[in-house]
Amino acid sequence: MTLTWTDDGIGHVLDSRYRIVALIGTGASAHVFLADDFRLRRQVAVKVLHPSLALDEKFLRRFEQEARAAAAFSHPHVVAVHDWGETDIGPYLVTEYLAGGSLHALLAAGNRLTPSQAVKIGLEAASGLAAAHRRGLAHRDIKPANLLFDPGSRLRVADFGLVHALSGAAMTEPDGVVLGTVRYSAPERSEPGVTDGRTDVYSLALTMVEAVSGEVPLSSGSTADVMMQRAKSTIEIPAAFGAARPILERSGAVDIEDRPTAEELMRALVHSTEHFEAPDRLPLAGAIRGGAPAPVFYDVPTVVDAPTEILAPTPGEPTEPARQPKRSKHPFRWILAVLVLLVAGAVATGVLVSRVEPPRVLTAQLGELQGQPIAEVREMVIANGWTLDEDQV
């Protein structure tokens, strides 16, 4: 049985390995499915591109190059690329599956973020972008739909390299103007020329403002109207962003040269957290309406947040709701109690490490950082993609 572009695809198996379980989402150029990976016995997301792209040799070459580059790049705030290939339904990309859903789905459900929540997702996204930019990987389509969450609310940036691959394809988006989403595009996208990582910074600033206000700045009218507005006016940042407002205003500058890099944005947002209370957990929408179908041959491991240790829950065992970390009343008298690294990676020399499998978890006691300014340690934590659990002395 052949899967067609209009078929829901449920039950089909790609390359004798990936069984389609449920539809996650659909767009102009791709369907995204939840799938079971028979070989590695895990759930994955499979993005199946339009079948017409399989006939475009130039696209296929670029797609493979971009897929290889994305697969070789690992960061806790970037969606991991596992595999890619071609079938009779078109090219496909296999990535990690993030059950928390997207920021787009969260906002579409009528939720709005507090400024502290928006700053949290902004600095996590900026962390992933900064690491990618250092490797010469620009995203070019930062928007709420490409900001995904795991069940613990950790953000990942999705679709690195895909827009670049599609830019040379014979197929164009329905509006036929710029590749990527105009609603979140920086002004330089409307003109031929070189863009860089600061184009992503502009789009991230728009996204953060929308998450809080419910409106995308400078987005009224036609595509031409939107790009004209942005070529003339800096993004207006709501006063509610407080200490984060100056860096976001710079991020929304008309001239790309006036914007910060993703690294600078990340560092500034980290320091602004001194002026915010700890954010509440995000009201995640979930990747699939009604919840993901349970895989038939394995249980997906989960991690339970704990204030002083990491536990892998026993199947069927009830767990207590995760406790929100309290913001210290004494920023200069605290210790870093636990760092949780949810991916394999290097840990600072001299740190005591314990591992729990599955999933791969590293727990580090960093008592030697006692007395360090909290903003400096937070910056280190975010720069490395770790999760911080603060415990007041």
Side-chain angles (χ1 to χ4, degrees):
M1 187 175 188
T2 301
L3 175 61
T4 67
W5 184 246
T6 57
D7 197 339
D8 63 12
I10 307 306
H12 290 276
V13 178
L14 304 183
D15 285 342
S16 302
R17 177 172 179 179
Y18 305 108
R19 180 174 64 86
I20 302 299
V21 175
L23 179 67
I24 295 176
T26 188
S29 59
H31 290 326
V32 183
F33 298 97
L34 170 66
D36 288 331
D37 180 347
F38 291 145
R39 185 176 303 168
L40 296 181
R41 304 177 65 82
R42 63 183 176 183
Q43 289 185 312
V44 294
V46 177
K47 181 182 286 286
V48 181
L49 303 179
H50 198 284
S52 66
L53 293 169
L55 304 176
D56 188 335
E57 291 296 331
K58 181 179 179 180
F59 164 77
L60 291 177
R61 287 194 300 271
R62 180 172 286 187
F63 175 69
E64 182 175 349
Q65 291 171 355
E66 295 294 335
R68 287 183 184 277
F73 173 53
S74 177
H75 189 274
H77 294 302
V78 174
V79 172
V81 174
H82 298 318
D83 194 8
W84 67 91
E86 298 175 51
T87 68
D88 54 358
I89 64 171
Y92 66 89
L93 192 69
V94 181
T95 71
E96 65 176 318
Y97 169 61
L98 298 177
S102 68
L103 178 60
H104 171 77
L106 184 159
L107 298 177
N111 299 298
R112 296 291 175 265
L113 302 189
T114 64
S116 62
Q117 288 174 322
V119 166
K120 175 186 180 293
I121 68 167
L123 65 87
E124 289 181 341
S127 175
L129 288 172
H133 294 166
R134 286 193 293 269
R135 295 174 64 98
L137 299 174
H139 192 285
R140 297 179 175 86
D141 195 23
I142 293 297
K143 57 185 178 183
N146 282 334
L147 300 181
L148 309 182
F149 301 99
D150 67 15
S153 297
R154 180 187 288 258
L155 179 143
R156 314 281 212 290
V157 181
D159 279 359
F160 260 103
L162 189 57
V163 174
H164 190 211
L166 287 169
S167 65
M171 174 185 172
T172 59
E173 291 193 347
D175 57 30
V177 181
V178 294
L179 201 57
T181 308
V182 173
R183 185 174 172 82
Y184 301 93
S185 289
E188 61 270 15
R189 292 298 303 281
S190 63
E191 299 289 340
V194 177
T195 61
D196 62 25
R198 291 169 293 183
T199 299
D200 293 340
V201 167
Y202 184 98
S203 300
L204 180 57
L206 285 174
T207 299
M208 291 175 65
V209 172
E210 181 191 18
V212 172
S213 69
E215 301 290 336
V216 179
L218 305 175
S219 63
S220 60
S222 66
T223 294
D225 292 336
V226 169
M227 301 312 287
M228 187 175 297
Q229 292 175 62
R230 292 181 182 171
K232 294 180 178 179
S233 304
T234 296
I235 298 174
E236 184 175 344
I237 308 299
F241 276 97
R245 190 180 185 189
I247 191 64
L248 291 178
E249 288 177 336
R250 286 182 56 207
S251 300
V254 172
D255 191 336
I256 192 172
E257 298 296 332
D258 293 333
R259 296 179 211 148
T261 64
E263 180 83 22
E264 291 168 337
L265 173 60
M266 179 198 73
R267 293 180 183 278
L269 290 177
V270 169
H271 283 280
S272 77
T273 62
E274 281 291 281
H275 303 277
F276 291 101
E277 292 297 324
D280 292 332
R281 282 196 176 275
L282 298 176
L284 301 179
I288 299 175
R289 185 174 298 177
V296 297
F297 51 79
Y298 64 95
D299 293 323
V300 179
T302 57
V303 175
V304 178
D305 292 333
T308 57
E309 61 182 344
I310 305 305
L311 303 175
T314 301
E317 179 182 332
T319 57
E320 294 295 325
R323 186 184 71 179
Q324 289 293 320
K326 296 181 180 179
R327 189 170 184 270
S328 175
K329 297 179 181 179
H330 307 285
F332 294 96
R333 290 191 65 250
W334 70 293
I335 61 172
L336 185 58
V338 179
L339 288 177
V340 183
L341 191 57
L342 294 177
V343 295
V347 180
T349 303
V351 174
L352 299 179
V353 177
S354 63
R355 177 176 295 175
V356 180
E357 299 278 3
R360 302 186 73 179
V361 175
L362 297 178
T363 303
Q365 301 289 341
L366 299 184
E368 66 268 22
L369 292 179
Q370 183 171 2
Q372 294 291 325
I374 190 170
E376 292 183 7
V377 179
R378 281 176 176 158
E379 182 176 313
M380 178 194 71
V381 168
I382 297 300
N384 285 281
W386 296 336
T387 294
L388 171 64
D389 186 359
E390 299 171 28
D391 191 13
Q392 185 178 338
V393 174

Short mmCIF file of all heavy atoms in Angstrom, two decimals, residues 14-15 18 20 24 29-35 44-50 59 62-72 79-87 89-97 139 146 157-163 165-166:
data_model
loop_
_atom_site.label_atom_id
_atom_site.label_comp_id
_atom_site.label_asym_id
_atom_site.label_seq_id
_atom_site.Cartn_x
_atom_site.Cartn_y
_atom_site.Cartn_z
N LEU A 14 7.88 2.99 7.13
CA LEU A 14 8.87 3.56 6.22
C LEU A 14 10.17 2.78 6.33
O LEU A 14 10.68 2.57 7.44
CB LEU A 14 9.13 5.03 6.55
CG LEU A 14 7.92 5.98 6.57
CD1 LEU A 14 8.39 7.40 6.85
CD2 LEU A 14 7.17 5.92 5.26
N ASP A 15 10.70 2.36 5.20
CA ASP A 15 12.00 1.69 5.14
C ASP A 15 12.11 0.52 6.13
O ASP A 15 13.17 0.29 6.72
CB ASP A 15 13.12 2.69 5.38
CG ASP A 15 13.35 3.59 4.17
OD1 ASP A 15 12.90 3.21 3.07
OD2 ASP A 15 13.97 4.66 4.33
N TYR A 18 10.24 2.51 10.50
CA TYR A 18 9.45 3.52 11.22
C TYR A 18 7.96 3.32 10.94
O TYR A 18 7.48 3.54 9.82
CB TYR A 18 9.87 4.93 10.80
CG TYR A 18 11.34 5.20 10.98
CD1 TYR A 18 12.20 5.32 9.88
CD2 TYR A 18 11.90 5.33 12.25
CE1 TYR A 18 13.55 5.57 10.03
CE2 TYR A 18 13.26 5.57 12.42
CZ TYR A 18 14.07 5.68 11.31
OH TYR A 18 15.42 5.93 11.47
N ILE A 20 4.25 4.52 11.30
CA ILE A 20 3.52 5.75 11.57
C ILE A 20 2.41 5.47 12.58
O ILE A 20 1.58 4.58 12.37
CB ILE A 20 2.92 6.33 10.27
CG1 ILE A 20 4.03 6.59 9.24
CG2 ILE A 20 2.14 7.60 10.58
CD1 ILE A 20 5.06 7.59 9.69
N ILE A 24 1.08 14.45 13.89
CA ILE A 24 1.38 15.53 14.84
C ILE A 24 0.97 16.88 14.26
O ILE A 24 0.37 17.71 14.94
CB ILE A 24 2.89 15.54 15.18
CG1 ILE A 24 3.28 14.26 15.91
CG2 ILE A 24 3.24 16.77 16.01
CD1 ILE A 24 4.77 14.14 16.20
N SER A 29 4.63 22.28 3.21
CA SER A 29 5.66 21.46 2.56
C SER A 29 5.91 20.12 3.24
O SER A 29 6.73 19.34 2.77
CB SER A 29 6.99 22.23 2.51
OG SER A 29 7.42 22.57 3.82
N ALA A 30 5.20 19.83 4.35
CA ALA A 30 5.50 18.58 5.06
C ALA A 30 4.36 18.17 5.99
O ALA A 30 3.56 19.00 6.43
CB ALA A 30 6.78 18.73 5.87
N HIS A 31 4.29 16.86 6.23
CA HIS A 31 3.50 16.29 7.32
C HIS A 31 4.48 15.83 8.39
O HIS A 31 5.57 15.35 8.08
CB HIS A 31 2.69 15.07 6.86
CG HIS A 31 1.57 15.38 5.92
ND1 HIS A 31 0.83 16.53 5.98
CD2 HIS A 31 1.06 14.65 4.88
CE1 HIS A 31 -0.10 16.51 5.04
NE2 HIS A 31 0.03 15.39 4.34
N VAL A 32 4.07 15.95 9.66
CA VAL A 32 4.91 15.45 10.76
C VAL A 32 4.12 14.39 11.51
O VAL A 32 2.97 14.61 11.90
CB VAL A 32 5.32 16.58 11.73
CG1 VAL A 32 6.25 16.03 12.81
CG2 VAL A 32 5.99 17.72 10.98
N PHE A 33 4.75 13.22 11.69
CA PHE A 33 4.09 12.09 12.33
C PHE A 33 4.85 11.62 13.56
O PHE A 33 6.09 11.74 13.62
CB PHE A 33 4.00 10.90 11.36
CG PHE A 33 3.21 11.14 10.12
CD1 PHE A 33 3.84 11.50 8.94
CD2 PHE A 33 1.82 11.01 10.13
CE1 PHE A 33 3.10 11.71 7.77
CE2 PHE A 33 1.08 11.23 8.97
CZ PHE A 33 1.72 11.58 7.80
N LEU A 34 4.12 11.07 14.51
CA LEU A 34 4.72 10.27 15.56
C LEU A 34 4.91 8.87 15.01
O LEU A 34 4.01 8.33 14.34
CB LEU A 34 3.82 10.23 16.80
CG LEU A 34 4.20 9.23 17.90
CD1 LEU A 34 5.53 9.62 18.53
CD2 LEU A 34 3.10 9.17 18.96
N ALA A 35 6.07 8.27 15.25
CA ALA A 35 6.33 6.93 14.72
C ALA A 35 7.07 6.09 15.75
O ALA A 35 7.75 6.61 16.63
CB ALA A 35 7.15 7.02 13.43
N VAL A 44 9.75 8.36 17.80
CA VAL A 44 10.44 9.43 17.08
C VAL A 44 9.41 10.26 16.34
O VAL A 44 8.25 9.87 16.19
CB VAL A 44 11.47 8.86 16.08
CG1 VAL A 44 12.61 8.15 16.80
CG2 VAL A 44 10.80 7.95 15.06
N ALA A 45 9.84 11.42 15.86
CA ALA A 45 9.02 12.24 14.97
C ALA A 45 9.57 12.09 13.56
O ALA A 45 10.78 12.12 13.35
CB ALA A 45 9.05 13.70 15.41
N VAL A 46 8.68 11.91 12.60
CA VAL A 46 9.07 11.77 11.20
C VAL A 46 8.43 12.90 10.40
O VAL A 46 7.20 12.99 10.33
CB VAL A 46 8.66 10.40 10.61
CG1 VAL A 46 9.03 10.32 9.14
CG2 VAL A 46 9.30 9.27 11.40
N LYS A 47 9.25 13.74 9.82
CA LYS A 47 8.76 14.83 8.97
C LYS A 47 8.87 14.35 7.52
O LYS A 47 9.97 14.17 6.99
CB LYS A 47 9.58 16.10 9.17
CG LYS A 47 9.11 17.28 8.32
CD LYS A 47 9.99 18.49 8.52
CE LYS A 47 9.74 19.17 9.85
NZ LYS A 47 8.47 19.93 9.88
N VAL A 48 7.72 14.15 6.89
CA VAL A 48 7.67 13.68 5.50
C VAL A 48 7.41 14.88 4.60
O VAL A 48 6.37 15.54 4.70
CB VAL A 48 6.56 12.62 5.32
CG1 VAL A 48 6.55 12.14 3.87
CG2 VAL A 48 6.77 11.46 6.27
N LEU A 49 8.35 15.17 3.70
CA LEU A 49 8.25 16.33 2.83
C LEU A 49 7.40 16.02 1.60
O LEU A 49 7.12 14.86 1.29
CB LEU A 49 9.64 16.79 2.42
CG LEU A 49 10.58 17.13 3.59
CD1 LEU A 49 11.95 17.54 3.08
CD2 LEU A 49 9.99 18.23 4.46
N HIS A 50 7.00 17.07 0.90
CA HIS A 50 6.12 16.92 -0.25
C HIS A 50 6.75 16.00 -1.29
O HIS A 50 7.95 16.12 -1.60
CB HIS A 50 5.83 18.29 -0.85
CG HIS A 50 4.63 18.30 -1.74
ND1 HIS A 50 4.64 17.77 -3.01
CD2 HIS A 50 3.36 18.75 -1.53
CE1 HIS A 50 3.44 17.91 -3.55
NE2 HIS A 50 2.65 18.50 -2.68
N PHE A 59 17.50 19.88 -4.73
CA PHE A 59 16.99 19.87 -3.36
C PHE A 59 17.50 18.66 -2.60
O PHE A 59 17.92 18.77 -1.44
CB PHE A 59 15.47 19.89 -3.34
CG PHE A 59 14.92 19.51 -1.99
CD1 PHE A 59 14.92 20.41 -0.94
CD2 PHE A 59 14.46 18.22 -1.74
CE1 PHE A 59 14.45 20.05 0.32
CE2 PHE A 59 13.99 17.85 -0.49
CZ PHE A 59 13.98 18.78 0.53
N ARG A 62 21.02 19.11 -1.41
CA ARG A 62 21.10 20.07 -0.31
C ARG A 62 20.45 19.51 0.95
O ARG A 62 20.94 19.73 2.07
CB ARG A 62 20.44 21.39 -0.72
CG ARG A 62 20.48 22.45 0.38
CD ARG A 62 20.00 23.79 -0.11
NE ARG A 62 20.98 24.43 -0.98
CZ ARG A 62 20.87 25.67 -1.43
NH1 ARG A 62 19.82 26.41 -1.11
NH2 ARG A 62 21.80 26.19 -2.20
N PHE A 63 19.33 18.80 0.78
CA PHE A 63 18.64 18.19 1.91
C PHE A 63 19.57 17.24 2.66
O PHE A 63 19.65 17.25 3.89
CB PHE A 63 17.40 17.47 1.42
CG PHE A 63 16.66 16.70 2.49
CD1 PHE A 63 15.99 17.36 3.50
CD2 PHE A 63 16.64 15.32 2.47
CE1 PHE A 63 15.30 16.65 4.48
CE2 PHE A 63 15.97 14.59 3.44
CZ PHE A 63 15.29 15.27 4.45
N GLU A 64 20.29 16.40 1.92
CA GLU A 64 21.21 15.47 2.55
C GLU A 64 22.34 16.20 3.27
O GLU A 64 22.72 15.84 4.39
CB GLU A 64 21.80 14.51 1.52
CG GLU A 64 22.74 13.48 2.12
CD GLU A 64 23.23 12.45 1.13
OE1 GLU A 64 22.68 12.41 0.02
OE2 GLU A 64 24.15 11.69 1.48
N GLN A 65 22.87 17.26 2.64
CA GLN A 65 23.94 18.04 3.27
C GLN A 65 23.46 18.66 4.57
O GLN A 65 24.15 18.62 5.60
CB GLN A 65 24.43 19.13 2.30
CG GLN A 65 25.16 18.60 1.09
CD GLN A 65 25.44 19.68 0.06
OE1 GLN A 65 24.99 20.82 0.21
NE2 GLN A 65 26.17 19.33 -0.98
N GLU A 66 22.27 19.27 4.52
CA GLU A 66 21.73 19.93 5.72
C GLU A 66 21.39 18.90 6.79
O GLU A 66 21.59 19.15 7.98
CB GLU A 66 20.50 20.76 5.36
CG GLU A 66 20.78 21.94 4.44
CD GLU A 66 21.64 23.00 5.10
OE1 GLU A 66 21.64 23.08 6.35
OE2 GLU A 66 22.32 23.75 4.38
N ALA A 67 20.86 17.76 6.39
CA ALA A 67 20.52 16.71 7.36
C ALA A 67 21.77 16.19 8.05
O ALA A 67 21.78 15.96 9.27
CB ALA A 67 19.77 15.57 6.67
N ARG A 68 22.84 16.00 7.28
CA ARG A 68 24.10 15.55 7.87
C ARG A 68 24.64 16.57 8.87
O ARG A 68 25.10 16.22 9.96
CB ARG A 68 25.13 15.29 6.78
CG ARG A 68 24.89 14.04 5.95
CD ARG A 68 26.00 13.84 4.94
NE ARG A 68 25.75 12.70 4.08
CZ ARG A 68 26.02 11.45 4.40
NH1 ARG A 68 26.58 11.18 5.59
NH2 ARG A 68 25.76 10.46 3.57
N ALA A 69 24.59 17.84 8.48
CA ALA A 69 25.09 18.90 9.37
C ALA A 69 24.27 18.96 10.65
O ALA A 69 24.81 19.10 11.75
CB ALA A 69 25.05 20.25 8.65
N ALA A 70 22.94 18.85 10.53
CA ALA A 70 22.08 18.90 11.71
C ALA A 70 22.29 17.68 12.59
O ALA A 70 22.29 17.78 13.83
CB ALA A 70 20.62 19.00 11.28
N ALA A 71 22.48 16.50 11.98
CA ALA A 71 22.67 15.28 12.76
C ALA A 71 23.99 15.30 13.52
O ALA A 71 24.11 14.69 14.59
CB ALA A 71 22.60 14.06 11.85
N ALA A 72 24.98 16.00 12.97
CA ALA A 72 26.29 16.06 13.61
C ALA A 72 26.34 17.09 14.73
O ALA A 72 27.30 17.15 15.50
CB ALA A 72 27.37 16.40 12.58
N VAL A 79 16.57 20.34 18.64
CA VAL A 79 15.99 19.02 18.37
C VAL A 79 17.03 18.13 17.68
O VAL A 79 17.64 18.52 16.68
CB VAL A 79 14.74 19.15 17.48
CG1 VAL A 79 14.25 17.77 17.04
CG2 VAL A 79 13.64 19.90 18.21
N ALA A 80 17.22 16.94 18.21
CA ALA A 80 18.21 16.02 17.66
C ALA A 80 17.69 15.37 16.38
O ALA A 80 16.55 14.91 16.32
CB ALA A 80 18.53 14.94 18.69
N VAL A 81 18.53 15.35 15.36
CA VAL A 81 18.21 14.67 14.10
C VAL A 81 18.82 13.27 14.14
O VAL A 81 20.02 13.12 14.34
CB VAL A 81 18.75 15.47 12.89
CG1 VAL A 81 18.55 14.68 11.60
CG2 VAL A 81 18.07 16.82 12.80
N HIS A 82 17.99 12.25 13.95
CA HIS A 82 18.44 10.86 14.04
C HIS A 82 18.74 10.23 12.68
O HIS A 82 19.65 9.41 12.55
CB HIS A 82 17.38 10.00 14.74
CG HIS A 82 17.10 10.41 16.15
ND1 HIS A 82 18.08 10.77 17.04
CD2 HIS A 82 15.91 10.49 16.82
CE1 HIS A 82 17.52 11.06 18.21
NE2 HIS A 82 16.23 10.90 18.11
N ASP A 83 17.94 10.59 11.66
CA ASP A 83 18.03 9.85 10.40
C ASP A 83 17.34 10.65 9.31
O ASP A 83 16.60 11.62 9.58
CB ASP A 83 17.33 8.48 10.57
CG ASP A 83 17.65 7.50 9.45
OD1 ASP A 83 18.53 7.79 8.62
OD2 ASP A 83 17.00 6.43 9.43
N TRP A 84 17.56 10.27 8.07
CA TRP A 84 16.86 10.85 6.94
C TRP A 84 16.85 9.82 5.83
O TRP A 84 17.59 8.84 5.85
CB TRP A 84 17.53 12.14 6.47
CG TRP A 84 18.90 11.95 5.87
CD1 TRP A 84 19.21 11.74 4.55
CD2 TRP A 84 20.13 11.91 6.59
NE1 TRP A 84 20.57 11.58 4.41
CE2 TRP A 84 21.16 11.68 5.63
CE3 TRP A 84 20.48 12.04 7.94
CZ2 TRP A 84 22.50 11.58 6.00
CZ3 TRP A 84 21.80 11.94 8.29
CH2 TRP A 84 22.79 11.73 7.34
N GLY A 85 15.99 10.03 4.83
CA GLY A 85 15.93 9.07 3.74
C GLY A 85 14.92 9.49 2.70
O GLY A 85 14.36 10.59 2.74
N GLU A 86 14.68 8.60 1.74
CA GLU A 86 13.72 8.82 0.67
C GLU A 86 12.88 7.57 0.50
O GLU A 86 13.39 6.45 0.60
CB GLU A 86 14.44 9.10 -0.66
CG GLU A 86 15.30 10.33 -0.69
CD GLU A 86 16.04 10.43 -2.01
OE1 GLU A 86 15.38 10.31 -3.07
OE2 GLU A 86 17.28 10.57 -1.99
N THR A 87 11.58 7.78 0.26
CA THR A 87 10.69 6.67 -0.07
C THR A 87 9.79 7.14 -1.21
O THR A 87 9.94 8.26 -1.71
CB THR A 87 9.80 6.28 1.13
OG1 THR A 87 8.88 7.33 1.39
CG2 THR A 87 10.64 6.02 2.37
N ILE A 89 6.95 8.13 -0.97
CA ILE A 89 6.11 9.25 -0.53
C ILE A 89 6.90 10.55 -0.45
O ILE A 89 6.34 11.59 -0.13
CB ILE A 89 5.46 8.97 0.84
CG1 ILE A 89 6.54 8.84 1.92
CG2 ILE A 89 4.60 7.73 0.79
CD1 ILE A 89 5.97 8.78 3.32
N GLY A 90 8.19 10.51 -0.71
CA GLY A 90 9.00 11.71 -0.65
C GLY A 90 10.11 11.61 0.38
O GLY A 90 10.19 10.64 1.13
N PRO A 91 10.98 12.62 0.43
CA PRO A 91 12.06 12.63 1.41
C PRO A 91 11.50 12.76 2.83
O PRO A 91 10.43 13.34 3.03
CB PRO A 91 12.86 13.88 1.03
CG PRO A 91 12.37 14.28 -0.32
CD PRO A 91 10.98 13.81 -0.42
N TYR A 92 12.22 12.20 3.80
CA TYR A 92 11.76 12.33 5.18
C TYR A 92 12.95 12.56 6.10
O TYR A 92 14.09 12.21 5.79
CB TYR A 92 10.97 11.10 5.63
CG TYR A 92 11.78 9.83 5.73
CD1 TYR A 92 12.45 9.49 6.91
CD2 TYR A 92 11.87 8.95 4.65
CE1 TYR A 92 13.19 8.32 7.01
CE2 TYR A 92 12.60 7.78 4.75
CZ TYR A 92 13.26 7.47 5.92
OH TYR A 92 13.99 6.31 6.03
N LEU A 93 12.64 13.14 7.26
CA LEU A 93 13.64 13.44 8.29
C LEU A 93 13.13 12.87 9.60
O LEU A 93 11.97 13.06 9.95
CB LEU A 93 13.82 14.96 8.40
CG LEU A 93 15.00 15.50 9.20
CD1 LEU A 93 16.31 15.19 8.48
CD2 LEU A 93 14.86 17.02 9.38
N VAL A 94 13.98 12.17 10.32
CA VAL A 94 13.61 11.57 11.60
C VAL A 94 14.31 12.32 12.72
O VAL A 94 15.53 12.48 12.71
CB VAL A 94 14.01 10.08 11.65
CG1 VAL A 94 13.59 9.45 12.99
CG2 VAL A 94 13.39 9.32 10.50
N THR A 95 13.54 12.78 13.69
CA THR A 95 14.09 13.54 14.82
C THR A 95 13.56 12.96 16.13
O THR A 95 12.68 12.10 16.14
CB THR A 95 13.69 15.02 14.75
OG1 THR A 95 12.30 15.17 15.03
CG2 THR A 95 14.00 15.61 13.37
N GLU A 96 14.09 13.45 17.23
CA GLU A 96 13.54 13.06 18.53
C GLU A 96 12.11 13.55 18.63
O GLU A 96 11.73 14.57 18.03
CB GLU A 96 14.39 13.63 19.67
CG GLU A 96 14.40 15.14 19.77
CD GLU A 96 15.18 15.63 20.98
OE1 GLU A 96 15.05 15.04 22.06
OE2 GLU A 96 15.92 16.63 20.82
N TYR A 97 11.30 12.81 19.35
CA TYR A 97 9.90 13.17 19.56
C TYR A 97 9.76 13.92 20.87
O TYR A 97 10.21 13.46 21.92
CB TYR A 97 9.03 11.91 19.59
CG TYR A 97 7.62 12.16 20.07
CD1 TYR A 97 6.78 13.03 19.38
CD2 TYR A 97 7.14 11.53 21.22
CE1 TYR A 97 5.49 13.26 19.82
CE2 TYR A 97 5.84 11.74 21.66
CZ TYR A 97 5.02 12.61 20.97
OH TYR A 97 3.75 12.85 21.40
N HIS A 139 19.17 29.45 11.30
CA HIS A 139 17.89 28.75 11.21
C HIS A 139 17.03 29.31 10.09
O HIS A 139 16.54 28.59 9.24
CB HIS A 139 17.14 28.86 12.54
CG HIS A 139 15.97 27.94 12.63
ND1 HIS A 139 14.78 28.16 11.96
CD2 HIS A 139 15.78 26.77 13.31
CE1 HIS A 139 13.93 27.19 12.22
NE2 HIS A 139 14.52 26.33 13.04
N ASN A 146 8.19 26.20 15.65
CA ASN A 146 9.50 25.54 15.64
C ASN A 146 10.19 25.56 17.00
O ASN A 146 11.36 25.24 17.10
CB ASN A 146 10.41 26.19 14.59
CG ASN A 146 10.09 25.72 13.18
OD1 ASN A 146 9.56 24.63 12.99
ND2 ASN A 146 10.36 26.56 12.20
N VAL A 157 14.85 23.87 19.75
CA VAL A 157 14.61 24.53 18.47
C VAL A 157 14.60 23.46 17.39
O VAL A 157 15.52 22.66 17.29
CB VAL A 157 15.71 25.58 18.17
CG1 VAL A 157 15.43 26.26 16.83
CG2 VAL A 157 15.78 26.62 19.28
N ALA A 158 13.54 23.46 16.58
CA ALA A 158 13.38 22.44 15.54
C ALA A 158 13.66 22.98 14.15
O ALA A 158 13.64 24.19 13.92
CB ALA A 158 11.95 21.89 15.59
N ASP A 159 13.92 22.07 13.24
CA ASP A 159 14.01 22.34 11.79
C ASP A 159 15.26 23.10 11.36
O ASP A 159 15.23 23.82 10.35
CB ASP A 159 12.78 23.09 11.29
CG ASP A 159 11.61 22.14 11.04
OD1 ASP A 159 11.78 20.92 11.25
OD2 ASP A 159 10.54 22.61 10.65
N PHE A 160 16.37 22.93 12.05
CA PHE A 160 17.61 23.55 11.59
C PHE A 160 17.98 22.99 10.22
O PHE A 160 17.99 21.79 10.00
CB PHE A 160 18.76 23.28 12.57
CG PHE A 160 19.02 24.43 13.48
CD1 PHE A 160 18.59 24.40 14.79
CD2 PHE A 160 19.68 25.56 13.02
CE1 PHE A 160 18.83 25.46 15.64
CE2 PHE A 160 19.93 26.62 13.86
CZ PHE A 160 19.50 26.58 15.17
N GLY A 161 18.30 23.87 9.29
CA GLY A 161 18.77 23.48 7.97
C GLY A 161 17.68 23.21 6.97
O GLY A 161 17.93 23.22 5.76
N LEU A 162 16.43 22.98 7.42
CA LEU A 162 15.38 22.62 6.48
C LEU A 162 15.01 23.79 5.57
O LEU A 162 14.82 23.62 4.36
CB LEU A 162 14.14 22.14 7.24
CG LEU A 162 13.03 21.54 6.38
CD1 LEU A 162 13.55 20.38 5.54
CD2 LEU A 162 11.87 21.09 7.24
N VAL A 163 14.92 25.00 6.12
CA VAL A 163 14.59 26.16 5.31
C VAL A 163 15.68 26.42 4.28
O VAL A 163 15.41 26.75 3.12
CB VAL A 163 14.37 27.41 6.19
CG1 VAL A 163 14.17 28.65 5.34
CG2 VAL A 163 13.15 27.20 7.09
N ALA A 165 17.61 24.18 2.95
CA ALA A 165 17.49 23.15 1.91
C ALA A 165 16.35 23.49 0.96
O ALA A 165 16.47 23.33 -0.26
CB ALA A 165 17.26 21.79 2.55
N LEU A 166 15.23 23.95 1.49
CA LEU A 166 14.07 24.26 0.66
C LEU A 166 14.27 25.50 -0.20
O LEU A 166 13.60 25.67 -1.21
CB LEU A 166 12.83 24.45 1.54
CG LEU A 166 12.23 23.18 2.16
CD1 LEU A 166 11.20 23.55 3.21
CD2 LEU A 166 11.61 22.30 1.08
#
